[in-house]
Amino acid sequence: MNITRENIDELNAVVKVEIAKDDYSPKVEKILKDYRKSANIPGFRKGHVPMGLVKKQYGQAVLVDEVNKLLQENLNKYLTEEKLEVLGNPLPKEQENFDWDKDDYAFEFELGLSPKFEVDVKTEKPITHYKIVADDEMIENQIKTIQKQYGKLVAKEEVEEEDLVAGIFKNEEEGIENTTTLPLEKLKGKRNLNKFLGAKVGDVVTLKTKSLFEDDHDLIEYLKVEHDQAHDLDVEVTFEITEVNKQEPAELDQELFDKLFGEGNVKSVTELKEKIKEDAENQFKQQSDQQLLNDVTEALIEKTNFDLPAEFLQRWIMVSGEKELTEDEAKEEYEKSEKGLRFQLIEGKLIQENELQVQLDEIKEMTKERIKMQMAQFGQMDPSEKDLEDITARVLSNQDEVKKLSEQVMNQKLLDFYKENINLEEKELTYENFVKEVYK
């Protein structure tokens, strides 16, 4: 067997694979002999079928199969040994009137080569690294939410603002009859709210579904109508009040603190506010870091210029999927994926040049930390090392999960690398202002 390469240019090459009879013949002969032993052909005893008949019936199929196996094995071996960085997969060149009756064969494959380029992570203009802080208003709102969530319901006779009103929505013609609990804060506008204020258990309130809630989708939940019916529904419904409750906020006491954060971990309102601020800003840090990754990605793509074997990649996209695409479809698909491919190459180069390798111990450590966080949400603040090891082992027995975790570890390594090496400018702002600035 002989393999040669002709470089068309820096991004395209053609590999020629020449296969002689001696390369495939021994294997083909062996397979046909095995077929002869087991062939069941009418008129012949098993194992006594003439070899000529076996070759006539199975010969070309076996030959094609073995030649294709040789092609794939040796082409892949050649690409590895030559250390060729290819994009996509080799594309076989079409050969008209190919003759399988010959002894020797030649096949040609087009290659799309990875471009040569350098990556400089220093940008002229600093990239913003946001530091998102939890302000006093956010902390106070979170405390109110906690008090409401852990508060208790107190039954009462007469409806006032912010009460929870249980009852039955009805409209016979539309087939509406649903028992529900309605938070009055869900209602849209003073007119709807005023119909409830002062009402008592047993009273019936008449309402219009149009503009009853800020979001028409709430009709699905509280009236139990279909999704399509909820949009533009404009009918009268009655609401018979069966129960009125006021939600009294939970006391900010040690019992609540222990319930939220474990026994003795928070001992005062001041410490509660500090804990809420710390937890919120840890979550914000994840969003800030993700935004930094996004911004660095865009900056490096814009700054790092190189050509791609675009025509080759479009032809490869045409034939590489489950369904063959047209030229226009392949071109459109290439244009969608080009930016991602560019960054994949840039990222790969950074990983290789800076030896950012993922180790199994790092994956295990990340898995343990995730498990600890999840268990803490359910009040298990101090799991044993054995429990952590057992759960980690179960998680890492799933190869898809290992792949996902490996990517997350690598993202963290890249993030740390960017923070150390890229020209960054820190900007402190509240979460509300972060959303306004980033998502506009």
Side-chain angles (χ1 to χ4, degrees):
M1 181 177 297
N2 185 40
I3 303 180
T4 55
R5 181 176 81 249
E6 178 189 358
N7 290 330
I8 308 302
D9 55 38
E10 290 185 355
L11 298 173
N12 295 276
V14 174
V15 169
K16 185 175 183 179
V17 183
E18 295 175 300
I19 298 179
K21 185 176 182 179
D22 289 346
D23 296 321
Y24 62 81
S25 184
K27 189 67 181 289
V28 169
E29 290 295 327
K30 181 180 183 306
I31 292 172
L32 290 175
K33 284 179 182 177
D34 291 341
Y35 275 21
R36 186 187 180 206
K37 292 176 186 176
S38 58
N40 191 3
I41 297 177
F44 298 95
R45 283 186 298 142
K46 193 173 182 179
H48 289 77
V49 179
M51 181 56 81
L53 189 57
V54 172
K55 286 184 177 181
K56 185 176 180 180
Q57 188 158 347
Y58 302 107
Q60 189 170 91
V62 173
L63 169 67
V64 171
D65 189 46
E66 287 306 310
V67 169
N68 279 326
K69 285 180 183 176
L70 278 172
L71 264 178
Q72 291 305 316
E73 289 171 9
N74 287 279
L75 181 58
N76 291 336
K77 184 180 177 183
Y78 174 81
L79 296 178
T80 302
E81 290 176 348
E82 293 292 312
K83 297 180 180 177
L84 289 176
E85 296 178 21
V86 298
L87 301 179
N89 290 319
L91 282 179
K93 292 186 74 172
E94 289 188 18
Q95 298 185 57
E96 293 184 8
N97 304 319
F98 188 85
D99 186 4
W100 283 103
D101 291 330
K102 296 194 302 183
D103 290 336
D104 300 333
Y105 310 106
F107 303 89
E108 291 185 333
F109 294 86
E110 295 178 81
L111 303 181
L113 304 178
S114 184
K116 307 296 181 188
F117 60 93
E118 298 298 324
V119 182
D120 181 6
V121 295
K122 295 291 184 184
T123 55
E124 289 183 20
K125 184 181 176 182
I127 295 175
T128 303
H129 185 208
Y130 295 99
K131 181 181 180 183
I132 310 170
V133 295
D135 59 3
D136 292 342
E137 182 181 358
M138 173 177 277
I139 293 168
E140 291 298 334
N141 287 338
Q142 183 63 24
I143 288 175
K144 287 178 183 176
T145 301
I146 290 170
Q147 286 183 283
K148 189 174 181 180
Q149 182 181 350
Y150 288 90
K152 61 182 179 180
L153 294 178
V154 178
K156 52 189 294 195
E157 285 297 318
E158 190 172 304
V159 178
E160 295 179 283
E161 286 192 45
E162 298 184 7
D163 283 346
L164 292 169
V165 184
I168 307 168
F169 274 114
K170 286 184 181 179
N171 179 297
E172 193 172 330
E173 289 182 6
E174 295 290 332
I176 295 170
E177 183 171 346
N178 186 52
T179 301
T180 188
T181 298
L182 178 66
L184 292 185
E185 63 195 38
K186 279 282 186 180
L187 294 171
K188 180 180 179 180
K190 284 284 186 184
R191 179 179 296 180
N192 288 320
L193 178 62
N194 287 337
K195 290 186 177 183
F196 281 92
L197 298 181
K200 297 179 180 178
V201 173
D203 288 350
V204 176
V205 177
T206 301
L207 303 155
K208 284 187 174 292
T209 56
K210 189 173 179 63
S211 300
L212 181 58
F213 302 110
E214 288 288 349
D215 187 346
D216 284 345
H217 290 94
D218 285 335
L219 294 170
I220 300 171
E221 179 179 352
Y222 294 109
L223 274 67
K224 284 293 181 284
V225 297
E226 297 295 325
H227 181 273
D228 292 342
Q229 188 183 3
H231 289 284
D232 302 320
L233 181 66
D234 187 6
V235 297
E236 280 193 346
V237 290
T238 59
F239 186 87
E240 181 184 351
I241 299 173
T242 58
E243 193 177 329
V244 181
N245 291 294
K246 180 179 181 180
Q247 190 164 35
E248 288 192 350
E251 293 291 330
L252 296 177
D253 54 19
Q254 194 61 48
E255 182 182 352
L256 179 62
F257 302 155
D258 290 348
K259 192 179 292 184
L260 290 170
F261 302 108
E263 190 173 345
N265 290 313
V266 170
K267 298 177 182 177
S268 66
V269 174
T270 300
E271 289 183 11
L272 172 66
K273 290 180 178 181
E274 290 172 355
K275 181 64 175 170
I276 290 172
K277 181 178 176 66
E278 178 188 345
D279 289 348
E281 290 181 355
N282 280 337
Q283 291 183 16
F284 295 156
K285 184 175 180 295
Q286 294 176 17
Q287 286 183 267
S288 171
D289 285 347
Q290 184 57 56
Q291 188 58 41
L292 177 60
L293 280 173
N294 295 344
D295 291 341
V296 169
T297 297
E298 292 294 331
L300 290 179
I301 290 172
E302 185 176 341
K303 183 182 180 186
T304 310
N305 296 313
F306 53 82
D307 292 326
L308 292 170
E311 290 184 12
F312 169 84
L313 288 170
Q314 288 174 38
R315 282 187 279 115
W316 175 69
I317 289 171
M318 281 179 66
V319 299
S320 62
E322 291 182 9
K323 175 187 172 185
E324 188 165 330
L325 304 180
T326 65
E327 285 187 25
D328 288 342
E329 288 171 335
K331 184 178 180 182
E332 183 180 351
E333 195 64 33
Y334 172 73
E335 288 170 353
K336 286 181 188 174
S337 59
E338 181 186 2
K339 184 181 280 191
L341 174 58
R342 287 182 177 279
F343 188 69
Q344 192 177 345
L345 293 171
I346 292 168
E347 188 179 71
K349 194 170 187 66
L350 288 173
I351 290 170
Q352 181 183 21
E353 290 182 349
N354 295 282
E355 298 181 351
L356 304 177
Q357 302 303 319
V358 175
Q359 305 297 329
L360 180 58
D361 286 348
E362 294 170 322
I363 297 175
K364 286 181 68 175
E365 192 58 37
M366 174 176 276
T367 306
K368 282 186 181 181
E369 290 303 314
R370 298 282 172 87
I371 293 166
K372 282 182 186 177
M373 288 170 61
Q374 290 173 3
M375 294 178 79
Q377 291 175 357
F378 295 96
Q380 300 180 54
M381 309 302 292
D382 190 24
S384 70
E385 189 61 28
K386 184 180 184 306
D387 286 343
L388 285 174
E389 286 287 346
D390 289 346
I391 299 171
T392 298
R394 286 201 297 272
V395 171
L396 298 185
S397 66
N398 183 327
Q399 289 304 308
D400 290 338
E401 199 64 31
V402 172
K403 182 181 178 184
K404 191 190 304 180
L405 287 161
S406 178
E407 289 170 355
Q408 291 170 357
V409 172
M410 180 54 73
N411 278 341
Q412 186 60 50
K413 284 178 175 285
L414 284 165
L415 184 64
D416 293 341
F417 173 79
Y418 294 150
K419 287 179 179 179
E420 290 177 13
N421 294 280
I422 282 184
N423 185 14
L424 298 179
E425 180 179 65
E426 187 172 90
K427 184 173 184 178
E428 185 174 302
L429 72 182
T430 64
Y431 182 71
E432 183 180 356
N433 289 332
F434 168 76
V435 171
K436 286 179 182 177
E437 181 163 326
V438 171
Y439 302 108
K440 301 188 182 3

mmCIF file of all heavy atoms in Angstrom, residues 178 216-228 230-231:
data_model
loop_
_atom_site.group_PDB
_atom_site.id
_atom_site.type_symbol
_atom_site.label_atom_id
_atom_site.label_comp_id
_atom_site.label_asym_id
_atom_site.label_seq_id
_atom_site.Cartn_x
_atom_site.Cartn_y
_atom_site.Cartn_z
ATOM 1 N N ASN A 178 -63.795 25.923 38.379
ATOM 2 C CA ASN A 178 -62.507 25.539 38.952
ATOM 3 C C ASN A 178 -62.340 26.128 40.344
ATOM 4 O O ASN A 178 -62.521 27.327 40.569
ATOM 5 C CB ASN A 178 -61.351 26.030 38.064
ATOM 6 C CG ASN A 178 -60.012 25.530 38.564
ATOM 7 O OD1 ASN A 178 -59.843 24.338 38.774
ATOM 8 N ND2 ASN A 178 -59.076 26.440 38.775
ATOM 9 N N ASP A 216 -52.277 36.826 30.333
ATOM 10 C CA ASP A 216 -53.412 35.951 29.999
ATOM 11 C C ASP A 216 -53.159 34.493 30.371
ATOM 12 O O ASP A 216 -54.104 33.726 30.583
ATOM 13 C CB ASP A 216 -53.720 36.040 28.494
ATOM 14 C CG ASP A 216 -54.451 37.329 28.137
ATOM 15 O OD1 ASP A 216 -54.957 37.994 29.060
ATOM 16 O OD2 ASP A 216 -54.500 37.674 26.943
ATOM 17 N N HIS A 217 -51.886 34.095 30.452
ATOM 18 C CA HIS A 217 -51.575 32.707 30.790
ATOM 19 C C HIS A 217 -52.034 32.347 32.209
ATOM 20 O O HIS A 217 -52.195 31.167 32.526
ATOM 21 C CB HIS A 217 -50.080 32.430 30.628
ATOM 22 C CG HIS A 217 -49.642 32.420 29.191
ATOM 23 N ND1 HIS A 217 -49.141 33.534 28.574
ATOM 24 C CD2 HIS A 217 -49.647 31.442 28.254
ATOM 25 C CE1 HIS A 217 -48.855 33.244 27.305
ATOM 26 N NE2 HIS A 217 -49.150 31.987 27.092
ATOM 27 N N ASP A 218 -52.240 33.367 33.074
ATOM 28 C CA ASP A 218 -52.758 33.084 34.416
ATOM 29 C C ASP A 218 -54.175 32.520 34.366
ATOM 30 O O ASP A 218 -54.610 31.836 35.303
ATOM 31 C CB ASP A 218 -52.730 34.355 35.276
ATOM 32 C CG ASP A 218 -51.326 34.715 35.729
ATOM 33 O OD1 ASP A 218 -50.486 33.797 35.797
ATOM 34 O OD2 ASP A 218 -51.067 35.898 36.003
ATOM 35 N N LEU A 219 -54.905 32.801 33.277
ATOM 36 C CA LEU A 219 -56.246 32.221 33.124
ATOM 37 C C LEU A 219 -56.174 30.695 33.067
ATOM 38 O O LEU A 219 -57.089 30.000 33.507
ATOM 39 C CB LEU A 219 -56.912 32.757 31.850
ATOM 40 C CG LEU A 219 -57.243 34.262 31.836
ATOM 41 C CD1 LEU A 219 -57.660 34.687 30.438
ATOM 42 C CD2 LEU A 219 -58.338 34.584 32.842
ATOM 43 N N ILE A 220 -55.071 30.181 32.504
ATOM 44 C CA ILE A 220 -54.891 28.726 32.412
ATOM 45 C C ILE A 220 -54.805 28.126 33.808
ATOM 46 O O ILE A 220 -55.423 27.098 34.105
ATOM 47 C CB ILE A 220 -53.616 28.391 31.595
ATOM 48 C CG1 ILE A 220 -53.723 28.974 30.175
ATOM 49 C CG2 ILE A 220 -53.380 26.886 31.549
ATOM 50 C CD1 ILE A 220 -52.434 28.882 29.382
ATOM 51 N N GLU A 221 -54.070 28.795 34.690
ATOM 52 C CA GLU A 221 -53.863 28.266 36.044
ATOM 53 C C GLU A 221 -55.101 28.417 36.920
ATOM 54 O O GLU A 221 -55.522 27.467 37.591
ATOM 55 C CB GLU A 221 -52.685 28.982 36.710
ATOM 56 C CG GLU A 221 -52.428 28.497 38.132
ATOM 57 C CD GLU A 221 -51.248 29.193 38.793
ATOM 58 O OE1 GLU A 221 -50.540 29.947 38.094
ATOM 59 O OE2 GLU A 221 -51.058 28.988 39.998
ATOM 60 N N TYR A 222 -55.710 29.616 36.915
ATOM 61 C CA TYR A 222 -56.772 29.893 37.882
ATOM 62 C C TYR A 222 -58.172 29.513 37.384
ATOM 63 O O TYR A 222 -59.064 29.241 38.190
ATOM 64 C CB TYR A 222 -56.734 31.371 38.289
ATOM 65 C CG TYR A 222 -55.481 31.713 39.041
ATOM 66 C CD1 TYR A 222 -54.483 32.497 38.471
ATOM 67 C CD2 TYR A 222 -55.267 31.214 40.323
ATOM 68 C CE1 TYR A 222 -53.319 32.790 39.156
ATOM 69 C CE2 TYR A 222 -54.099 31.498 41.026
ATOM 70 C CZ TYR A 222 -53.124 32.285 40.426
ATOM 71 O OH TYR A 222 -51.973 32.554 41.112
ATOM 72 N N LEU A 223 -58.382 29.507 36.044
ATOM 73 C CA LEU A 223 -59.685 29.117 35.511
ATOM 74 C C LEU A 223 -59.659 27.732 34.884
ATOM 75 O O LEU A 223 -60.704 27.185 34.537
ATOM 76 C CB LEU A 223 -60.168 30.137 34.465
ATOM 77 C CG LEU A 223 -60.921 31.367 34.999
ATOM 78 C CD1 LEU A 223 -59.990 32.265 35.813
ATOM 79 C CD2 LEU A 223 -61.518 32.167 33.836
ATOM 80 N N LYS A 224 -58.448 27.194 34.701
ATOM 81 C CA LYS A 224 -58.247 25.883 34.079
ATOM 82 C C LYS A 224 -58.853 25.822 32.667
ATOM 83 O O LYS A 224 -59.540 24.878 32.310
ATOM 84 C CB LYS A 224 -58.833 24.762 34.947
ATOM 85 C CG LYS A 224 -57.991 24.411 36.152
ATOM 86 C CD LYS A 224 -56.671 23.782 35.743
ATOM 87 C CE LYS A 224 -55.813 23.393 36.946
ATOM 88 N NZ LYS A 224 -55.147 24.512 37.598
ATOM 89 N N VAL A 225 -58.576 26.870 31.870
ATOM 90 C CA VAL A 225 -58.976 26.859 30.463
ATOM 91 C C VAL A 225 -57.788 26.398 29.625
ATOM 92 O O VAL A 225 -56.641 26.399 30.081
ATOM 93 C CB VAL A 225 -59.465 28.249 29.993
ATOM 94 C CG1 VAL A 225 -60.713 28.662 30.750
ATOM 95 C CG2 VAL A 225 -58.362 29.300 30.157
ATOM 96 N N GLU A 226 -58.039 25.998 28.386
ATOM 97 C CA GLU A 226 -56.967 25.568 27.490
ATOM 98 C C GLU A 226 -56.116 26.768 27.075
ATOM 99 O O GLU A 226 -56.575 27.915 27.101
ATOM 100 C CB GLU A 226 -57.549 24.887 26.243
ATOM 101 C CG GLU A 226 -58.323 23.613 26.529
ATOM 102 C CD GLU A 226 -57.430 22.524 27.099
ATOM 103 O OE1 GLU A 226 -56.250 22.450 26.679
ATOM 104 O OE2 GLU A 226 -57.894 21.759 27.962
ATOM 105 N N HIS A 227 -54.890 26.471 26.624
ATOM 106 C CA HIS A 227 -53.960 27.537 26.235
ATOM 107 C C HIS A 227 -54.553 28.423 25.135
ATOM 108 O O HIS A 227 -54.539 29.663 25.234
ATOM 109 C CB HIS A 227 -52.633 26.926 25.766
ATOM 110 C CG HIS A 227 -51.609 27.952 25.378
ATOM 111 N ND1 HIS A 227 -51.539 28.491 24.117
ATOM 112 C CD2 HIS A 227 -50.623 28.554 26.100
ATOM 113 C CE1 HIS A 227 -50.560 29.369 24.064
ATOM 114 N NE2 HIS A 227 -49.983 29.424 25.255
ATOM 115 N N ASP A 228 -55.084 27.804 24.086
ATOM 116 C CA ASP A 228 -55.649 28.584 22.977
ATOM 117 C C ASP A 228 -56.862 29.381 23.423
ATOM 118 O O ASP A 228 -57.123 30.480 22.922
ATOM 119 C CB ASP A 228 -56.035 27.662 21.815
ATOM 120 C CG ASP A 228 -54.810 27.049 21.149
ATOM 121 O OD1 ASP A 228 -53.704 27.595 21.347
ATOM 122 O OD2 ASP A 228 -54.946 26.024 20.447
ATOM 123 N N ALA A 230 -57.320 30.673 26.382
ATOM 124 C CA ALA A 230 -56.922 31.759 27.288
ATOM 125 C C ALA A 230 -56.661 33.064 26.545
ATOM 126 O O ALA A 230 -56.969 34.145 27.043
ATOM 127 C CB ALA A 230 -55.683 31.342 28.084
ATOM 128 N N HIS A 231 -56.093 32.959 25.359
ATOM 129 C CA HIS A 231 -55.784 34.164 24.590
ATOM 130 C C HIS A 231 -57.066 34.794 24.073
ATOM 131 O O HIS A 231 -57.881 34.141 23.419
ATOM 132 C CB HIS A 231 -54.845 33.830 23.434
ATOM 133 C CG HIS A 231 -53.454 33.503 23.903
ATOM 134 N ND1 HIS A 231 -52.557 34.465 24.319
ATOM 135 C CD2 HIS A 231 -52.817 32.316 24.057
ATOM 136 C CE1 HIS A 231 -51.432 33.886 24.679
ATOM 137 N NE2 HIS A 231 -51.556 32.575 24.545
#
